[in-house]
Amino acid sequence: MLREVLVKAQKDDRTTFGIYECGKLLNTTPDDVTLCILPLEDNGDVTVHIHHTLMEAFCLENDIKLMKVDSLKKLEGIFPGNENSNTDAVDCSCILVTAPEQTDHVYNDLMDVADGPIVEMPA
């Protein structure tokens, strides 16, 4: 479900990748963002932890759905640029998704499970 929503959102140019770019978007148009996806930090980097904590707080304060996933590597595997060196890789340290023009049942189902426990992504 998450994979399907993210692939469609990227195809429709409704995704923003990376802490810095996501921060810029939230600073200018936070009302357009419906979902924030954060992978668990598995490298123990205190800077990443602080960024994620601030991102979580902002999302909660602005009614943006938050979804934590169990693995940065699995999240990166969804996007073709991260597997093929011929295209640019995307920074999956934070992903923001803006609302589609028309929602479908898959998007709505994902919104229903956001803000829940950590999502274990398939390998």
Side-chain angles (χ1 to χ4, degrees):
M1 180 170 32
L2 176 60
R3 177 182 297 271
E4 186 177 340
V5 168
L6 286 176
V7 167
K8 182 164 180 18
Q10 186 182 31
K11 180 181 171 192
D12 295 345
D13 198 29
R14 295 184 295 106
T15 52
T16 302
F17 296 93
I19 288 285
Y20 181 72
E21 292 301 320
C22 289
K24 287 190 336 187
L25 176 64
L26 289 173
N27 189 46
T28 57
T29 55
D31 294 338
D32 294 346
V33 178
T34 57
L35 177 64
C36 175
I37 301 165
L38 295 173
L40 288 181
E41 317 111 38
D42 54 1
N43 62 3
D45 185 344
V46 70
T47 305
V48 172
H49 176 74
I50 291 169
H51 285 146
H52 280 197
T53 301
L54 291 171
M55 191 64 68
E56 284 180 55
F58 188 93
C59 290
L60 290 172
E61 191 172 301
N62 289 277
D63 295 323
I64 297 168
K65 296 282 190 177
L66 180 65
M67 180 172 281
K68 290 185 179 183
V69 296
D70 67 332
S71 170
L72 175 63
K73 290 218 178 288
K74 291 179 190 175
L75 189 58
E76 288 172 339
I78 293 175
F79 304 100
N82 291 325
E83 296 173 352
N84 180 350
S85 61
N86 294 332
T87 55
D88 291 336
V90 294
D91 176 2
C92 293
S93 61
C94 179
I95 302 173
L96 296 180
V97 179
T98 56
E101 287 186 22
Q102 287 193 333
T103 61
D104 58 17
H105 70 89
V106 176
Y107 180 83
N108 290 332
D109 289 348
L110 184 65
M111 292 296 106
D112 288 342
V113 299
D115 292 331
I118 295 169
V119 174
E120 288 192 36
M121 297 185 63

